[in-house]
Amino acid sequence: GDSVTQMEGPVTLSEEAFLTINCTYTATGYPSLFWYVQYPGEGLQLLLKATKADDKGSNKGFEATYRKETTSFHLEKGSVQVSDSAVYFCALKTTSGTYKYIFGTGTRLKVLA
Amino acid sequence: NAGVTQTPKFQVLKTGQSMTLQCAQDMNHEYMSWYRQDPGMGLRLIHYSVGAGITDQGEVPNGYNVSRSTTEDFPLRLLSAAPSQTSVYFCASSYSFGTSPTEAFFGQGTRLTVV
């Protein structure tokens, strides 16, 4: 079945460091891909999305490119801030039958000042 | 615009008790769903609905029941609470674009403890 695999956390970085959180997926067809962010005590918020191969989603300095050939959607940011500390979830929306969202296990990011 | 509203935010139940987690959205979204979030397991789909009167099971439906009598509301019922149902529960909704739902909008979550 469809699945999402993302890197284990926690990831601890210093402020202004470069961030990469890896995400790969297994799916039939061409799913839409998402990154969600969860701040402490809150629900998930959409960070960015891509709906077809080679699309680049971007928001708040974060970017991710839909790579069909490597079935990946890695999240990157050139310079993280303390306020980026949160849990990040990679997700896909299935394309077959009744549409469902499948989430990865989440990666906790901690940014130190 | 309230978005997706879940109540209560926190709840403690005794084993065997029943309760209903409420979820309401004011965005006229057709798709609604319930997830549970457990450490190291991400979000797992419990039940979902593609419109009023239509529901279906997700990945982990046992011990839960849902109904969708209106577009706005999608309550989740725990029939007989068990400690294994201790979790954080999230309700989400999506609007449709053509025949496919777009990104999901989440509520703030309900933290449930079963003792």
Side-chain angles (χ1 to χ4, degrees), chain A residues 52-99:
Chain A
K52 60 183 186 296
D54 300 325
D55 265 3
K56 177 184 282 188
S58 61
N59 187 25
K60 300 180 181 178
F62 291 89
E63 292 183 342
T65 301
Y66 190 141
R67 302 286 188 199
K68 180 65 176 175
E69 64 276 11
T70 55
T71 62
S72 64
F73 193 54
H74 305 321
L75 182 68
E76 297 181 335
K77 187 175 186 183
S79 176
V80 295
Q81 306 300 312
V82 172
S83 58
D84 293 327
S85 298
V87 180
Y88 293 81
F89 291 90
C90 185
L92 67 81
K93 185 179 68 181
T94 62
T95 58
S96 60
T98 304
Y99 301 98

Side-chain angles (χ1 to χ4, degrees), chain B:
Chain B
N1 194 353
V4 179
T5 302
Q6 290 183 236
T7 55
K9 287 187 169 50
F10 302 94
Q11 183 70 48
V12 179
L13 288 179
K14 294 183 179 179
T15 297
Q17 286 185 316
S18 63
M19 79 159 294
T20 299
L21 279 62
Q22 301 293 343
C23 175
Q25 53 92 7
D26 61 358
M27 297 175 281
N28 201 31
H29 286 174
E30 294 180 355
Y31 297 86
M32 297 187 74
S33 50
W34 277 101
Y35 295 85
R36 59 178 289 173
Q37 183 181 27
D38 301 295
M41 303 191 74
L43 277 76
R44 292 183 291 169
L45 181 64
I46 304 171
H47 285 285
Y48 63 97
S49 169
V50 299
I54 306 170
T55 64
D56 205 347
Q57 296 182 349
E59 182 185 359
V60 288
N62 292 339
Y64 307 94
N65 200 4
V66 293
S67 60
R68 183 99 178 268
S69 57
T70 66
T71 299
E72 294 78 16
D73 300 301
F74 191 44
L76 177 72
R77 298 181 186 84
L78 278 70
L79 308 174
S80 177
S84 61
Q85 294 179 304
T86 294
S87 187
V88 181
Y89 291 85
F90 288 100
C91 179
S93 72
S94 314
Y95 61 91
S96 63
F97 182 79
T99 58
S100 172
T102 60
E103 68 266 21
F105 294 79
F106 284 83
Q108 296 293 298
T110 296
R111 185 174 294 275
L112 176 68
T113 302
V114 182
V115 298

Side-chain angles (χ1 to χ4, degrees), chain A residues 38-60:
Chain A
Q38 184 181 32
Y39 299 103
E42 298 185 9
L44 280 70
Q45 304 172 26
L46 178 68
L47 182 60
L48 54 84
K49 67 178 180 180
T51 57
K52 60 183 186 296
D54 300 325
D55 265 3
K56 177 184 282 188
S58 61
N59 187 25
K60 300 180 181 178

